[in-house]
């Protein structure tokens, strides 16, 4: 990839992935707040998944925006963190915030898997 190509506008797929990562990050942060208000030991596993996912999605978006050569690997790892978080959130399927978070995580995982398979 030439310097000019590297500095060109992000592809639509990459823009979609960055947006999905940022949305997922935001929803995970909101869900963490919701979990803290609920309390209880059962939430610890969910909290760990939320923290990992929030951190991973933010870092993944940052790396794509700066065209890091590690973006593809980070997207693959981000997809895994998002899937784990979605599963953890769905352990509480009656909680609308948990369901919303699981949906955002699954969307993000899907776009990240697609980006991981592309040359960036």
């Amino acid at each position: 990839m030439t310097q000019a190509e590297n500095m060109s506008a992000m592809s639509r797929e990459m823009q979609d992935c960055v947006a999905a990562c940022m949305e997922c990050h935001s929803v995970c942060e909101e869900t963490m707040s919701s979990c803290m208000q609920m309390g209880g030991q059962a939430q610890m596993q969910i909290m760990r998944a939320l923290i990992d996912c929030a951190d991973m999605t933010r870092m993944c978006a940052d790396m794509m925006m700066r065209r890091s050569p590690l973006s593809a690997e980070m997207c693959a790892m981000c997809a895994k963190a998002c899937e784990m978080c979605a599963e953890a959130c769905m352990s509480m399927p009656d909680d609308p915030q948990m369901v919303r978070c699981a949906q955002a995580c699954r969307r993000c995982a899907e776009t990240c898997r697609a980006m991981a398979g592309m040359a960036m």
Side-chain angles (χ1 to χ4, degrees), residues 17-28 46 48-61 64 74-90 98-113:
C17 191
V18 168
C21 283
M22 295 309 294
E23 171 68 13
C24 188
H25 171 80
S26 179
V27 174
C28 283
I46 296 171
R48 282 188 195 99
L50 287 165
I51 292 167
D52 286 351
C53 190
D55 287 350
M56 193 70 75
T57 52
R58 182 64 178 259
M59 185 182 299
C60 189
M64 282 186 285
M74 184 52 134
C75 283
M77 198 124 151
C78 187
K80 185 174 183 177
C82 287
E83 287 294 341
M84 290 174 69
C85 190
E87 285 181 34
C89 286
M90 286 314 294
M98 292 292 180
V99 172
R100 182 172 165 248
C101 189
Q103 290 169 340
C105 289
R106 288 191 177 120
R107 274 192 307 276
C108 187
E110 185 179 321
T111 63
C112 281
R113 272 194 302 275

